[in-house]
Amino acid sequence: MNGLGTIKVVMGLCIASVAGSAWADGNAFVGRWHWNRTQSTPPAGEPVPNDVAAEISRVDSTHVQWSLTVLASQGQTSVETFDAVPNGEFYPINSDTTAAFRLGGNTLRATFKGPTGQTDTLTCTLAADQKKMTCQGVLSSGEGRTTTYVDVYDRM
């Protein structure tokens, strides 16, 4: 579960950044977002990054595009860019992980599948003031073990 867990924070931010309110309210989530470490509850046993920031550039019926910068606990910085289709179908996001996004009302539900059967399912919502996003998540191992987490993000 560590491979999928490592991308959990990365993907959690991405998912949060495209929650359904953006769809309905003229892309309310387009902009810059910062992971709130003190208000988040990471899954037990998973690596916790020092910092995460995202730049959301597009949210529409055919694409959600963003770039993500992660400062790992060991000090390495990685920058990734993503382009997802929010139609509920699974698409590859890297060489061994697929993801499906579904928009509805003011929420976004996403499921990530790893190479050994592990999954990460997130349900993200936007606060009324559109300055905070919260994602409730469940990580499941290929052997059936589950753990929950909460990721909170602030608008920069």
Side-chain angles (χ1 to χ4, degrees):
M1 194 148 74
N2 281 342
L4 190 60
T6 301
I7 65 169
K8 189 269 324 160
V9 171
V10 171
M11 297 315 297
L13 181 56
C14 297
I15 291 167
S17 300
V18 298
S21 290
W23 197 263
D25 297 338
N27 300 328
F29 284 71
V30 170
R32 298 191 62 189
W33 295 94
H34 186 250
W35 183 60
N36 186 320
R37 183 181 183 129
T38 60
Q39 292 182 1
S40 297
T41 308
E46 294 295 333
V48 178
N50 286 340
D51 197 23
V52 180
E55 179 79 31
I56 310 307
S57 58
R58 179 179 175 186
V59 179
D60 62 35
S61 63
T62 60
H63 293 279
V64 177
Q65 295 175 330
W66 64 94
S67 82
L68 187 71
T69 303
V70 178
L71 176 59
S73 59
Q74 301 83 12
Q76 303 95 339
T77 299
S78 63
V79 178
E80 307 238 8
T81 57
F82 301 91
D83 187 347
V85 180
N87 64 2
E89 296 181 26
F90 281 91
Y91 294 96
I93 59 169
N94 62 34
S95 64
D96 64 359
T97 302
T98 60
F101 299 86
R102 179 153 321 269
L103 297 163
N106 67 347
T107 64
L108 174 76
R109 182 175 172 96
T111 301
F112 300 91
K113 292 182 182 179
T116 61
Q118 69 270 42
T119 62
D120 183 0
T121 302
L122 295 163
T123 302
C124 300
T125 58
L126 178 65
D129 66 2
Q130 298 182 351
K131 294 182 181 179
K132 190 171 295 285
M133 299 177 283
T134 303
C135 290
Q136 305 284 330
V138 177
L139 287 172
S140 297
S141 72
E143 295 83 37
R145 293 183 309 263
T146 63
T147 186
T148 61
Y149 63 93
V150 177
D151 283 331
V152 177
Y153 308 94
D154 299 312
R155 186 179 294 276
M156 295 173 72

